[in-house]
Amino acid sequence: MEDEVPDKKADCSISGDRLWDWWQQAKQQAVEADVPAVELVWLLREITGLDRLALQLGSFQNQRQIATTRSLDDLQTLWQQRIQARVPVQYLVGYTTWRNFRLQVSPAVLIPRPETELMIDIAVATVAQSSIAAELSQGIWVDLGTGSGAIAIGLATAFPNATVIATDISEAAIAIAQANAAMNQVSHRIEFRQGSWFEPLADLTASLAGMVSNPPYIPSTMIPNLAPEVARHEPTLALDGDIDGLGCLNQLVHKAPQYLREGGLWLAEMMLNQADSVSTLLEGTNRYRAIQVHPDLTGRDRFVSAIAT
């Protein structure tokens, strides 16, 4: 069941002194609950429109009234959901930022992580080095398991002459991804298809310039031990990678050769200890070359790419 978050209200206001008092209490609660203070700033900026400096200096304290999108009671309810129920702040405010995009999120989709942004950079760099770079950059790209649509939107922006297709098994995820494509003005560039992995792409055998995916890769037994923000609130469908975490990745490795054109890119994200196993799977098919492991923002192995033969 999705968390109960108060509906946004228009034309609310809170006096500066009351908001200041609440702000002091909330900061202390954040420390006690080990919640980063930046999340409280994010929540308040979204609800009040106050800038970061005003919050840091407390200059809003003497304002008679501050226009808000929520009442003080609603704000308190939201913050307690973050502190006590460990609801991610992205779900509380209903959006996150990823690359230079603003994306709508809800418990129906995984919250896009900063490290996943690197997949777009890897795709661009790989295409630039290809002997068929022009063809690939104007070809058909797919984002499998699109979730919020982040990767598809990133691909559509990075390759403005390409056709991008985004798939997801979840109808709710597709709806959010479509809304995000519209919000970021790339709806005309992305086609959305509902279904599991390559199933909606039967008409595209040997046609894809690139396949990019951030699939479920957490071993099933590990999910209950993840941070409560993840284990309790993010969709299990987007996390559970089967017993060893490689279930979905194995499907992508073995099915992609039917759909990728020669010279097309295979690119996926995975857990830190899975790169060697995925590389071995790719090698075992004899359908890929130039298999490479790529680090994330902390320098740890996070992505694997390969070229279809």
Side-chain angles (χ1 to χ4, degrees):
M1 180 180 295
E2 294 188 6
D3 304 289
E4 294 183 3
V5 177
D7 292 333
K8 285 191 175 182
K9 297 179 180 179
D11 302 324
C12 294
S13 65
I14 305 172
S15 65
D17 57 349
R18 290 187 69 200
L19 186 61
W20 169 264
D21 290 341
W22 183 86
W23 168 242
Q24 301 312 302
Q25 295 171 8
K27 285 194 291 186
Q28 183 57 40
Q29 291 170 345
V31 172
E32 294 171 356
D34 196 26
V35 170
V38 67
E39 296 192 10
L40 178 58
V41 172
W42 188 359
L43 180 62
L44 270 181
R45 289 186 66 188
E46 177 68 10
I47 288 174
T48 67
L50 292 170
D51 61 35
R52 190 179 302 274
L53 185 61
L55 291 171
Q56 290 176 341
L57 298 179
S59 58
F60 63 87
Q61 183 178 3
N62 296 320
Q63 292 185 34
R64 184 174 180 180
Q65 293 291 326
I66 298 169
T68 65
T69 59
R70 313 265 188 158
S71 68
L72 187 58
D73 287 343
D74 284 347
L75 179 58
Q76 175 65 7
T77 297
L78 288 172
W79 186 239
Q80 290 309 306
Q81 288 189 8
R82 179 69 191 98
I83 295 297
Q84 297 179 5
R86 311 303 290 194
V87 179
V89 69
Q90 294 92 335
Y91 290 157
L92 293 180
V93 301
Y95 85 93
T96 191
T97 54
W98 191 85
R99 290 180 77 86
N100 59 333
F101 310 119
R102 179 181 172 99
L103 301 174
Q104 176 186 338
V105 291
S106 82
V109 298
L110 196 72
I111 298 167
R113 268 54 171 188
E115 57 264 26
T116 306
E117 297 180 11
L118 295 177
M119 300 187 82
I120 306 302
D121 299 322
I122 294 169
V124 169
T126 303
V127 168
Q129 296 166 7
S130 173
S131 61
I132 54 170
E135 295 176 48
L136 295 181
S137 64
Q138 298 176 51
I140 302 172
W141 288 74
V142 297
D143 170 19
L144 297 180
T146 194
S148 67
I151 291 174
I153 293 168
L155 290 171
T157 305
F159 300 119
N161 295 314
T163 297
V164 178
I165 298 173
T167 75
D168 204 289
I169 197 171
S170 165
E171 182 178 359
I174 289 288
I176 289 176
Q178 289 174 322
N180 284 329
M183 184 165 59
N184 289 280
Q185 301 181 333
V186 290
S187 288
H188 62 293
R189 300 281 324 289
I190 304 174
E191 179 186 344
F192 294 92
R193 300 185 183 186
Q194 186 180 354
S196 177
W197 303 125
F198 290 97
E199 286 179 1
L201 306 177
D203 58 323
L204 295 174
T205 56
S207 299
L208 303 181
M211 178 228 81
V212 184
S213 183
N214 179 16
Y217 52 68
I218 307 296
S220 304
T221 56
M222 288 183 61
I223 292 176
N225 300 320
L226 296 174
E229 288 82 354
V230 179
R232 296 180 194 171
H233 302 290
E234 297 204 60
T236 301
L237 184 65
L239 298 170
D240 194 338
D242 212 342
I243 296 173
D244 58 0
L246 296 173
C248 297
L249 284 160
N250 187 53
Q251 288 190 58
L252 297 182
V253 167
H254 286 91
K255 292 184 178 180
Q258 302 173 43
Y259 297 90
L260 286 169
R261 57 159 292 171
E262 183 177 353
L265 173 65
W266 187 99
L267 174 61
E269 181 176 327
M270 58 210 62
M271 281 184 67
L272 301 180
N273 62 350
Q274 293 175 335
D276 288 345
S277 296
V278 172
S279 296
T280 299
L281 287 172
L282 288 162
E283 291 170 357
T285 66
N286 294 316
R287 299 293 301 274
Y288 302 94
R289 60 177 175 83
I291 299 168
Q292 294 186 62
V293 177
H294 306 269
D296 63 13
L297 296 167
T298 64
R300 296 178 291 182
D301 293 346
R302 175 71 70 174
F303 316 99
V304 173
S305 67
I307 304 300
T309 58

